[in-house]
PDB file of all heavy atoms in Angstrom:
ATOM      1  N   VAL Z 300     113.873  81.048 131.911  1.00  0.00           N
ATOM      2  CA  VAL Z 300     114.560  82.159 131.268  1.00  0.00           C
ATOM      3  C   VAL Z 300     114.268  83.465 131.961  1.00  0.00           C
ATOM      4  O   VAL Z 300     113.091  83.810 132.178  1.00  0.00           O
ATOM      5  CB  VAL Z 300     114.166  82.238 129.749  1.00  0.00           C
ATOM      6  CG1 VAL Z 300     114.902  83.392 129.096  1.00  0.00           C
ATOM      7  CG2 VAL Z 300     114.500  80.933 129.049  1.00  0.00           C
ATOM      8  N   ARG Z 301     115.327  84.175 132.353  1.00  0.00           N
ATOM      9  CA  ARG Z 301     115.150  85.486 132.996  1.00  0.00           C
ATOM     10  C   ARG Z 301     115.844  86.520 132.112  1.00  0.00           C
ATOM     11  O   ARG Z 301     117.075  86.521 131.935  1.00  0.00           O
ATOM     12  CB  ARG Z 301     115.810  85.433 134.378  1.00  0.00           C
ATOM     13  CG  ARG Z 301     115.182  84.387 135.305  1.00  0.00           C
ATOM     14  CD  ARG Z 301     115.987  84.195 136.563  1.00  0.00           C
ATOM     15  NE  ARG Z 301     116.243  85.407 137.299  1.00  0.00           N
ATOM     16  CZ  ARG Z 301     115.387  85.971 138.118  1.00  0.00           C
ATOM     17  NH1 ARG Z 301     114.194  85.415 138.352  1.00  0.00           N
ATOM     18  NH2 ARG Z 301     115.670  87.093 138.768  1.00  0.00           N
ATOM     19  N   ALA Z 302     114.996  87.440 131.535  1.00  0.00           N
ATOM     20  CA  ALA Z 302     115.527  88.335 130.483  1.00  0.00           C
ATOM     21  C   ALA Z 302     115.538  89.752 130.911  1.00  0.00           C
ATOM     22  O   ALA Z 302     114.730  90.248 131.755  1.00  0.00           O
ATOM     23  CB  ALA Z 302     114.713  88.156 129.226  1.00  0.00           C
ATOM     24  N   TRP Z 303     116.473  90.480 130.296  1.00  0.00           N
ATOM     25  CA  TRP Z 303     116.494  91.937 130.520  1.00  0.00           C
ATOM     26  C   TRP Z 303     117.137  92.624 129.308  1.00  0.00           C
ATOM     27  O   TRP Z 303     118.048  92.094 128.682  1.00  0.00           O
ATOM     28  CB  TRP Z 303     117.287  92.328 131.796  1.00  0.00           C
ATOM     29  CG  TRP Z 303     117.040  93.771 132.128  1.00  0.00           C
ATOM     30  CD1 TRP Z 303     115.888  94.285 132.692  1.00  0.00           C
ATOM     31  CD2 TRP Z 303     117.876  94.897 131.889  1.00  0.00           C
ATOM     32  NE1 TRP Z 303     116.005  95.653 132.814  1.00  0.00           N
ATOM     33  CE2 TRP Z 303     117.208  96.046 132.311  1.00  0.00           C
ATOM     34  CE3 TRP Z 303     119.141  95.046 131.291  1.00  0.00           C
ATOM     35  CZ2 TRP Z 303     117.713  97.350 132.231  1.00  0.00           C
ATOM     36  CZ3 TRP Z 303     119.683  96.325 131.173  1.00  0.00           C
ATOM     37  CH2 TRP Z 303     118.981  97.448 131.637  1.00  0.00           C
ATOM     38  N   MET Z 308     112.291  95.832 126.473  1.00  0.00           N
ATOM     39  CA  MET Z 308     111.437  95.029 127.337  1.00  0.00           C
ATOM     40  C   MET Z 308     109.967  95.065 126.912  1.00  0.00           C
ATOM     41  O   MET Z 308     109.316  93.999 126.782  1.00  0.00           O
ATOM     42  CB  MET Z 308     111.529  95.459 128.779  1.00  0.00           C
ATOM     43  CG  MET Z 308     112.921  95.300 129.351  1.00  0.00           C
ATOM     44  SD  MET Z 308     113.363  93.584 129.634  1.00  0.00           S
ATOM     45  CE  MET Z 308     112.766  93.380 131.287  1.00  0.00           C
ATOM     46  N   GLU Z 319     110.619  85.171 132.196  1.00  0.00           N
ATOM     47  CA  GLU Z 319     110.498  86.137 133.253  1.00  0.00           C
ATOM     48  C   GLU Z 319     111.253  87.409 132.857  1.00  0.00           C
ATOM     49  O   GLU Z 319     112.438  87.343 132.555  1.00  0.00           O
ATOM     50  CB  GLU Z 319     111.091  85.571 134.552  1.00  0.00           C
ATOM     51  CG  GLU Z 319     110.688  86.381 135.766  1.00  0.00           C
ATOM     52  CD  GLU Z 319     111.202  85.781 137.062  1.00  0.00           C
ATOM     53  OE1 GLU Z 319     111.457  84.566 137.093  1.00  0.00           O
ATOM     54  OE2 GLU Z 319     111.368  86.547 138.022  1.00  0.00           O
ATOM     55  N   PHE Z 320     110.513  88.530 132.792  1.00  0.00           N
ATOM     56  CA  PHE Z 320     111.163  89.828 132.490  1.00  0.00           C
ATOM     57  C   PHE Z 320     111.596  90.490 133.777  1.00  0.00           C
ATOM     58  O   PHE Z 320     110.763  90.788 134.623  1.00  0.00           O
ATOM     59  CB  PHE Z 320     110.204  90.693 131.682  1.00  0.00           C
ATOM     60  CG  PHE Z 320     109.897  90.132 130.309  1.00  0.00           C
ATOM     61  CD1 PHE Z 320     108.732  89.369 130.084  1.00  0.00           C
ATOM     62  CD2 PHE Z 320     110.757  90.298 129.284  1.00  0.00           C
ATOM     63  CE1 PHE Z 320     108.469  88.853 128.833  1.00  0.00           C
ATOM     64  CE2 PHE Z 320     110.543  89.752 128.009  1.00  0.00           C
ATOM     65  CZ  PHE Z 320     109.361  89.032 127.804  1.00  0.00           C
ATOM     66  N   CYS Z 321     112.883  90.712 133.929  1.00  0.00           N
ATOM     67  CA  CYS Z 321     113.434  91.146 135.197  1.00  0.00           C
ATOM     68  C   CYS Z 321     113.470  92.691 135.294  1.00  0.00           C
ATOM     69  O   CYS Z 321     113.360  93.391 134.291  1.00  0.00           O
ATOM     70  CB  CYS Z 321     114.803  90.560 135.406  1.00  0.00           C
ATOM     71  SG  CYS Z 321     114.696  88.757 135.410  1.00  0.00           S
ATOM     72  N   ALA Z 322     113.697  93.138 136.549  1.00  0.00           N
ATOM     73  CA  ALA Z 322     113.690  94.589 136.786  1.00  0.00           C
ATOM     74  C   ALA Z 322     114.989  95.274 136.347  1.00  0.00           C
ATOM     75  O   ALA Z 322     114.980  96.415 135.968  1.00  0.00           O
ATOM     76  CB  ALA Z 322     113.487  94.830 138.303  1.00  0.00           C
ATOM     77  N   ASP Z 323     116.058  94.526 136.383  1.00  0.00           N
ATOM     78  CA  ASP Z 323     117.364  95.070 135.883  1.00  0.00           C
ATOM     79  C   ASP Z 323     118.299  93.940 135.547  1.00  0.00           C
ATOM     80  O   ASP Z 323     117.963  92.765 135.761  1.00  0.00           O
ATOM     81  CB  ASP Z 323     117.971  96.034 136.902  1.00  0.00           C
ATOM     82  CG  ASP Z 323     118.202  95.343 138.238  1.00  0.00           C
ATOM     83  OD1 ASP Z 323     118.972  94.359 138.275  1.00  0.00           O
ATOM     84  OD2 ASP Z 323     117.599  95.775 139.275  1.00  0.00           O
ATOM     85  N   MET Z 324     119.455  94.270 134.994  1.00  0.00           N
ATOM     86  CA  MET Z 324     120.334  93.192 134.520  1.00  0.00           C
ATOM     87  C   MET Z 324     120.875  92.348 135.669  1.00  0.00           C
ATOM     88  O   MET Z 324     121.147  91.180 135.460  1.00  0.00           O
ATOM     89  CB  MET Z 324     121.477  93.782 133.643  1.00  0.00           C
ATOM     90  CG  MET Z 324     122.357  94.761 134.284  1.00  0.00           C
ATOM     91  SD  MET Z 324     123.611  95.269 133.054  1.00  0.00           S
ATOM     92  CE  MET Z 324     124.138  96.790 133.734  1.00  0.00           C
ATOM     93  N   SER Z 326     119.301  91.574 138.580  1.00  0.00           N
ATOM     94  CA  SER Z 326     118.311  90.612 139.072  1.00  0.00           C
ATOM     95  C   SER Z 326     118.134  89.491 138.055  1.00  0.00           C
ATOM     96  O   SER Z 326     117.803  88.374 138.422  1.00  0.00           O
ATOM     97  CB  SER Z 326     116.963  91.258 139.395  1.00  0.00           C
ATOM     98  OG  SER Z 326     116.492  92.027 138.366  1.00  0.00           O
ATOM     99  N   ALA Z 327     118.386  89.743 136.790  1.00  0.00           N
ATOM    100  CA  ALA Z 327     118.307  88.671 135.771  1.00  0.00           C
ATOM    101  C   ALA Z 327     119.306  87.553 136.036  1.00  0.00           C
ATOM    102  O   ALA Z 327     119.014  86.370 135.857  1.00  0.00           O
ATOM    103  CB  ALA Z 327     118.483  89.249 134.360  1.00  0.00           C
ATOM    104  N   VAL Z 328     120.541  87.943 136.449  1.00  0.00           N
ATOM    105  CA  VAL Z 328     121.569  86.930 136.690  1.00  0.00           C
ATOM    106  C   VAL Z 328     121.527  86.281 138.103  1.00  0.00           C
ATOM    107  O   VAL Z 328     122.263  85.308 138.340  1.00  0.00           O
ATOM    108  CB  VAL Z 328     123.002  87.427 136.434  1.00  0.00           C
ATOM    109  CG1 VAL Z 328     123.191  87.820 134.987  1.00  0.00           C
ATOM    110  CG2 VAL Z 328     123.299  88.668 137.305  1.00  0.00           C
TER     111      VAL Z 328
END
Side-chain angles (χ1 to χ4, degrees):
V300 180
R301 297 168 58 80
W303 193 76
M308 298 288 270
E319 195 177 336
F320 293 97
C321 298
D323 57 62
M324 58 180 160
S326 53
V328 293

